[in-house]
Amino acid sequence: MSTPSLAQPVSRPAASRFAVVGNPENRRVSLFGDAVRAAGLPGPRLVAWRDVLRDGGADFASDEIVRVDSPGENLEVDRLLRGTTDPTRVEGSARWYARFTAALRSLRGGVRLDDPDDLAALFDKRACHGVLDAAGVPVPASPTSGPGGAPVRGWDDVRALMREHRMPRLFVKLAHGSSASGVLAVETGGGGRIRATTSVELAPDGTLHNSLRVRRYDSERDIATIVDALAPDGLHLERWVPKASQQGRAADLRVVVVAGRATHAVVRTSRTPLTNLHLGGRRGDLATVRHAVGGAGGRWSDVLEVCERAASCFPRTLCVGVDLLPAIGWRRAFVGEVNAFGDLLPRLTGLPGSGAEGLDTYAAQVMAALRAPAAPGSLDQYRTGTSHA
């Protein structure tokens, strides 16, 4: 089905002033502001996360379109959310989640481009996985998924669930983590061998720190120490899906979905199980991926449709970033995560047939938000059909 381009001129809705909740120095805020001004509007009113957290909320006018952006990369905001003065510490994500979701509900008025309930689910991997699974979105098997998921109190529980669910290889994730913080890719072998690949650095005093260097632990005692320290913040387990490869490197995709349409995609490749670009991952070639999918008998449009189905589980949020895990052979793909703030892909323009050709992720969101009069609490008017070559 053909769709209009997001870049086509639009009639201005009554609500055509933007406001952003974010950290003033963050490039996400700057890039979105640039997109708003490029659309011929005044720059968005900025409400700092620091002020929201200190003042107990913020108020917005009825004609303001409100975007909530990431509270990350700010030392003071991190201290207010996690209660720590060391930004490298991994622990504290449960406290971060409780304070962040409370802050979301303290934002009053305006026309929201996101929804507090959606964001609460997106920042709880157990809840998000359960929502996706219930909707029939392909996801890796998980014993901790949804409200009936198994609790994980420490390494002993992980070991027991590995045996019970026959998962010799799995990912252990912080329930409320992001950017691969606290993620361990665990694999076992004969003779009691075990290995965990992670960006977590276990300090001599037992504290855990995020590192830009991916490392491997081959001692079960060290792995147990890390997992036991993370467990009070909540853990989510997923079966390890062996990924397809590109030029000998494991590959996955980040696909941005705006207003129900997959508009932007980037391939991420790595020599480790963690493909995050800040951990040494590299951008791969999207044309090669499309060719590989077709060569395996699949259709690229079906790949993007999986991402759109995942995004549709969070209908009151305009934009999400979907992490798609293509299995070996490129015949199947699974949704690993759905990210509320997964649109930071500078200079990347829209996919052919997406309606966002020539637009970056922020410009695509601005155009979608301006496309129709907005009703508070609803994004239904932003939704469009899809068409992908």
Side-chain angles (χ1 to χ4, degrees):
M1 180 169 56
S2 62
T3 57
S5 169
L6 291 175
Q8 289 177 351
V10 296
S11 57
R12 298 282 184 249
S16 58
R17 291 194 299 156
F18 282 89
V20 176
V21 182
N23 294 326
E25 74 286 356
N26 196 286
R27 59 177 173 160
R28 296 172 181 270
V29 171
S30 299
L31 289 168
F32 185 76
D34 291 343
V36 171
R37 286 184 284 271
L41 294 172
R45 179 169 75 96
L46 176 60
V47 178
W49 270 116
R50 177 188 61 249
D51 296 335
V52 171
L53 293 167
R54 285 177 169 177
D55 299 342
D59 294 286
F60 298 91
S62 60
D63 65 342
E64 284 186 299
I65 302 174
V66 182
R67 169 186 170 87
V68 171
D69 219 323
S70 170
E73 302 178 32
N74 180 288
L75 295 179
E76 185 177 1
V77 171
D78 187 60
R79 180 183 60 79
L80 291 169
L81 288 172
R82 288 201 301 139
T84 179
T85 58
D86 185 348
T88 72
R89 288 289 293 273
V90 181
E91 304 95 326
S93 59
R95 183 183 297 112
W96 182 97
Y97 178 77
R99 293 178 178 177
F100 174 65
T101 52
L104 289 173
R105 299 183 193 286
S106 72
L107 304 177
R108 300 171 292 269
V111 179
R112 291 285 293 273
L113 297 184
D114 48 70
D115 175 77
D117 291 336
D118 280 356
L119 295 185
L122 289 167
F123 277 100
D124 186 329
K125 298 185 195 305
R126 300 162 300 191
C128 182
H129 189 286
V131 169
L132 296 170
D133 193 32
V137 176
V139 288
S142 169
T144 57
S145 175
V152 180
R153 296 166 292 248
W155 178 245
D156 288 344
D157 286 345
V158 174
R159 270 299 207 180
L161 290 168
M162 291 173 70
R163 290 191 296 268
E164 180 183 350
H165 294 272
R166 298 181 180 180
M167 292 194 302
R169 304 173 81 228
L170 81 163
F171 279 84
V172 179
K173 302 180 178 181
L174 278 172
H176 310 300
S178 60
S179 301
S181 175
V183 173
L184 293 89
V186 179
E187 48 193 325
T188 58
R193 290 176 300 148
I194 188 166
R195 170 183 288 177
T197 303
T198 179
S199 62
V200 174
E201 178 183 357
L202 175 60
D205 64 357
T207 58
L208 307 180
H209 298 264
N210 285 309
S211 170
L212 293 179
R213 182 171 73 85
V214 176
R215 63 198 71 215
R216 292 186 171 91
Y217 294 92
D218 297 306
S219 162
E220 185 161 2
R221 170 183 283 185
D222 288 343
I223 297 170
T225 297
I226 294 171
V227 171
D228 287 345
L230 293 176
D233 280 318
L235 293 176
H236 174 59
L237 311 183
E238 288 181 355
R239 186 180 299 278
W240 183 332
V241 175
K243 293 179 183 176
S245 63
Q246 187 173 104
Q247 295 185 337
R249 299 165 62 91
D252 63 17
L253 294 94
R254 166 65 60 84
V255 179
V256 175
V257 181
V258 178
R261 280 197 275 174
T263 56
H264 299 74
V266 65
V267 184
R268 307 181 302 185
T269 71
S270 176
R271 297 196 184 281
T272 79
L274 307 178
T275 59
N276 302 71
L277 299 179
H278 73 285
L279 296 178
R282 298 181 192 165
R283 288 197 182 188
D285 184 69
L286 188 61
T288 301
V289 168
R290 296 183 63 162
H291 179 76
V293 169
R299 296 190 304 174
W300 175 242
S301 59
D302 291 339
V303 172
L304 297 182
E305 193 268 339
V306 170
C307 300
E308 292 169 348
R309 285 168 53 199
S312 72
C313 294
F314 307 97
R316 295 178 299 278
T317 295
L318 180 68
C319 176
V320 295
V322 180
D323 289 347
L324 194 71
L325 316 177
I328 290 175
W330 299 98
R331 291 183 178 86
R332 302 179 65 194
F334 301 84
V335 173
E337 296 185 10
V338 182
N339 304 273
F341 305 132
D343 54 3
L344 183 60
L345 298 171
R347 298 179 299 278
L348 183 70
T349 53
L351 295 165
S354 69
E357 298 89 338
L359 302 178
D360 68 10
T361 58
Y362 299 101
Q365 291 172 70
V366 170
M367 291 300 102
L370 293 175
R371 190 148 289 283
S378 172
L379 283 174
D380 290 342
Q381 70 279 0
Y382 300 132
R383 304 287 163 187
T384 62
T386 61
S387 175
H388 302 291

